[in-house]
Amino acid sequence: MNNLTIFPPSRPGKPLAIKAVLFDLDDTLWPIVPVIARAEQLLFDWMREHAPAVTRQFTIESLRQQRLDLVATNPVFKFDLWNLRHAALTASFNSVGEDARKVDAAMAVFSEARHAVTLFDDVEPVLARLQQRHRLLLGTVSNGFADLDKIGLARHFQTSIAAHSFGCAKPDPSIFHAACAALNVTPEETVYAGDDPLLDVVGAQQAGLRAVWINRFDRVLPAGVSAQASCTSLHELEAWLEQTAIG
């Protein structure tokens, strides 16, 4: 069943040809909720053995709340999620008298599990076709800290920009513009594909890109948000691109 939904253009006039597609990562190229749940459980199990005072005082849920509380103390934590986790673990270790020098090892455990993602089945074949058949430039823009080399997807992309290294996060227009500049294309020649209605759809549109909502989980766009297209898979994204001016 084809669930591709095409919305009317957001502004009049013939759009420029599409030369590049930028992708979100989490919940666009792989499901993230089970990955984070497993990573946090493996980290907790590691701490139970190597930093038991932490697990006697905290639960996975209370550690998560600690991170949420910590975000308000430093604006960097809003886009640097690795440093947020590291700072929160350091605070929890110090609060119970555990050796905070173990935090790096703890983060290594979490990071390894964070990169053990399972790609959606359509990702590899569609990315390959977009490059080889359609001659599109591909990139990623993400607020997370996934390493595409570790995941095995880096070869598909000519640029990958992560908020923690760039210095700001979606929906700031500058992070979208930086990816366009890296590919030597204009925002008007670029499509952004992502699952988050505000960060990905509205953020990309406000930066001058066309936005395709990747709706893999049967969600509904919030009132007032309208993407150029809504797709339940990358196969549908490819079909939309084929219907739209490419090259």
Side-chain angles (χ1 to χ4, degrees), residues 77-115:
F77 291 152
K78 293 181 180 180
F79 59 82
D80 193 338
L81 302 183
W82 192 94
N83 273 327
L84 171 61
R85 283 187 177 274
H86 193 284
L89 281 178
T90 299
S92 65
F93 275 54
N94 286 334
S95 71
V96 298
E98 282 284 5
D99 185 355
R101 290 175 295 181
K102 297 178 182 178
V103 170
D104 285 344
M107 283 297 298
V109 171
F110 178 84
S111 181
E112 181 178 1
R114 170 67 172 81
H115 288 96

Side-chain angles (χ1 to χ4, degrees), residues 6 13 35 52 61 83 112 160 177 245:
I6 299 176
V35 173
E61 291 71 24
N83 273 327
E112 181 178 1
S160 292
H177 292 164

Side-chain angles (χ1 to χ4, degrees), residues 10-33:
S10 57
R11 53 191 177 188
K14 183 179 180 180
L16 295 177
I18 295 169
K19 294 183 178 179
V21 182
L22 301 173
F23 290 89
D24 172 53
L25 298 177
D26 296 335
D27 281 341
T28 297
L29 303 187
W30 56 76
I32 192 57
V33 172

